[in-house]
Amino acid sequence: MSDSNSTATSSSASPIWLYSYIKLRFFNRIRRFLRSRNARKRPTPSDHCDTSSSRPAKVISNNNEATMAGPVLEKQSGDDHEDDVLGLQRAVKKLHFGVCWEERELAAMEIGTLAKEDVKVRKLVGGLGVIPVLVSMAASEVVARQRAAVSALIELANGTYTNKALMAEAGIFSKLPKDINILDETTRHQFAELLLLLSSLANTQFPLSSLETLPFLVGIIESGTSSIETKETCLGALYNLSTMLDNAANLVSNGVVEALLNLSSIKELSEKALATLGNLVVTLMGKKAMENSAAVPESLIEILTWEDKPKCQELSSYILMILAHQSSDQRVKMTNSGIVPTLLEVALLGSSLAQKRALKLLQWFKDERQAKMGPHSGPQTARFAIGSPLGSPVNPREAQQGKKMMKNLVKQSLYKNMEMITRRASASGDSSKLKSLIISTSSKSLPY
């Protein structure tokens, strides 16, 4: 009986000893942290060897009482630093060993505040085992607890690669809510901001997988209740992920291309959406997804008409160039969608880069039936007429008629486009310049 009682007593006491051991290790780490900070604060002997050359402290007199302002300020700053360290110590202790969740929520908020104010605290607090606790709190269904944890994680991740890696290793991506509809707008924006910071790991050697992140990001940008600011933050995260070509397959399979094409028609979000599409269109899967989309090329051609968004015009023309390159089907679709008049307008009124890309596209459409371009300078077309026996050359008379017909079509498009531009510019009093441009260019062919 005595043996059994002693066994039961030892088994019940072991968790107490284990808990005490964990607390002892924790406070030892805090003590070492404080000692290292104090050691860095201690003045060296050289600080006291030459007092004659140092600037005298300013003397402030008040009612015949003189005080040295310099030492007082140094003492105050030292006291503030010690208060921050003690506050961090209390917050970390409450986060680990708080008796209730409310106490831990307050501790998480305090850690976030200290990390925001002091970059050294932000870099050093990750080694105190705080991040795994905050990550587990971020998965809570309690809104206040979730917000406090995510807000602290945002501050800890700001500008620190180590903390970002620790969050990824702690499984923050697997803790993301499965249903974004249960989140209010504030919480959605906090999660989006955290994912934007963590997505920068894609540009490093850290093995960042996008599988767990994409459903959450796509759900937010497709939601009609998400704000423009939250969607813009999610687009920044998707852009960072799209810079790695290895992520293209995951992005396409999760419906990112179609979602980005829809957002590209919104002027506030178009630039970031088009930039992400520009990263995806250079991949085989991304280009195929855009070719099969019902919104292409009409939506991209519409963006070319945005005179107040030159960057969007440049990105849209770049995507159209990639799609039209060596693809006669896409060039036919673009022609049927009325791209030529729009390209003429961009070539005349667009930015410098947009003009160059528009002129290159016009050159491709002009030479569609001439096949004079090199293998790496544009679209490739057949060098022999379809239906001619054994690839015999085209009849010179038929070729001359085809050139004449193409020239007339281009001239008609030019006239129509110039008239439209003239009407737009008439309000600004610049119509005379454009009319002279019509007269001077009506008898000329395209630049290429």
Side-chain angles (χ1 to χ4, degrees), residues 62-133:
N62 186 14
N63 296 329
N64 298 326
E65 293 182 0
T67 58
M68 303 297 291
V72 171
L73 293 178
E74 292 180 1
K75 183 177 180 181
Q76 289 178 352
S77 62
D79 292 341
D80 293 340
H81 178 73
E82 291 179 0
D83 291 341
D84 291 342
V85 173
L86 292 176
L88 176 63
Q89 180 183 3
R90 289 192 299 266
V92 173
K93 176 183 175 182
K94 291 179 182 179
L95 187 66
H96 280 287
F97 308 108
V99 295
C100 61
W101 280 112
E102 288 75 10
E103 189 176 1
R104 295 186 180 185
E105 292 170 12
L106 294 175
M109 295 172 61
E110 188 173 357
I111 289 174
T113 302
L114 293 173
K116 183 178 182 180
E117 296 176 352
D118 192 346
V119 66
K120 294 181 179 179
V121 173
R122 191 184 311 161
K123 293 181 178 180
L124 294 175
V125 76
L128 300 176
V130 169
I131 290 178
V133 180

Side-chain angles (χ1 to χ4, degrees), residues 173-174 176 178 208-217 241 246-247 249-251 253-254:
F173 300 125
S174 61
L176 296 174
K178 305 302 179 183
L208 181 63
S209 175
S210 59
L211 287 176
E212 297 173 322
T213 313
L214 293 178
F216 184 83
L217 294 173
L241 295 175
D246 295 339
N247 292 327
N250 294 334
L251 290 167
S253 61
N254 280 273

Side-chain angles (χ1 to χ4, degrees), residues 155-170:
E155 300 301 338
L156 292 175
N158 190 12
T160 56
Y161 169 82
T162 303
N163 287 352
K164 294 176 185 178
L166 289 174
M167 293 176 195
E169 291 177 352

Side-chain angles (χ1 to χ4, degrees), residues 370-425:
Q370 296 179 8
K372 294 181 180 180
M373 307 187 72
H376 300 291
S377 60
Q380 305 301 306
T381 56
R383 294 183 178 271
F384 302 103
I386 299 175
S388 59
L390 299 178
S392 59
V394 183
N395 190 314
R397 183 177 179 181
E398 295 178 357
Q400 188 66 24
Q401 290 178 352
K403 292 180 180 180
K404 187 176 180 180
M405 183 182 301
M406 179 65 69
K407 186 175 181 179
N408 291 334
L409 290 174
V410 172
K411 187 180 295 186
Q412 291 175 6
S413 299
L414 182 61
Y415 271 117
K416 182 178 179 181
N417 189 70
M418 288 297 183
E419 291 174 359
M420 180 174 58
I421 297 174
T422 303
R423 287 195 300 269
R424 291 185 179 180

Side-chain angles (χ1 to χ4, degrees), residues 258-278:
E258 199 64 31
L260 292 175
L261 287 172
N262 293 332
L263 291 181
S264 64
S265 60
I266 304 175
K267 287 191 175 183
E268 296 86 352
L269 304 174
S270 181
E271 184 174 334
K272 287 190 176 181
L274 291 172
T276 308
L277 287 172

Side-chain angles (χ1 to χ4, degrees), residues 336-401:
N336 295 336
S337 300
I339 192 175
V340 174
T342 306
L343 289 175
L344 286 169
E345 183 176 353
V346 175
L348 291 171
L349 301 177
S351 64
S352 177
L353 182 57
Q355 286 180 353
K356 291 180 181 179
R357 291 172 176 173
L359 290 173
K360 177 61 69 175
L361 281 167
L362 287 172
Q363 175 69 45
W364 292 357
F365 287 110
K366 178 184 175 183
D367 293 344
E368 179 69 25
R369 299 179 62 182
Q370 296 179 8
K372 294 181 180 180
M373 307 187 72
H376 300 291
S377 60
Q380 305 301 306
T381 56
R383 294 183 178 271
F384 302 103
I386 299 175
S388 59
L390 299 178
S392 59
V394 183
N395 190 314
R397 183 177 179 181
E398 295 178 357
Q400 188 66 24
Q401 290 178 352

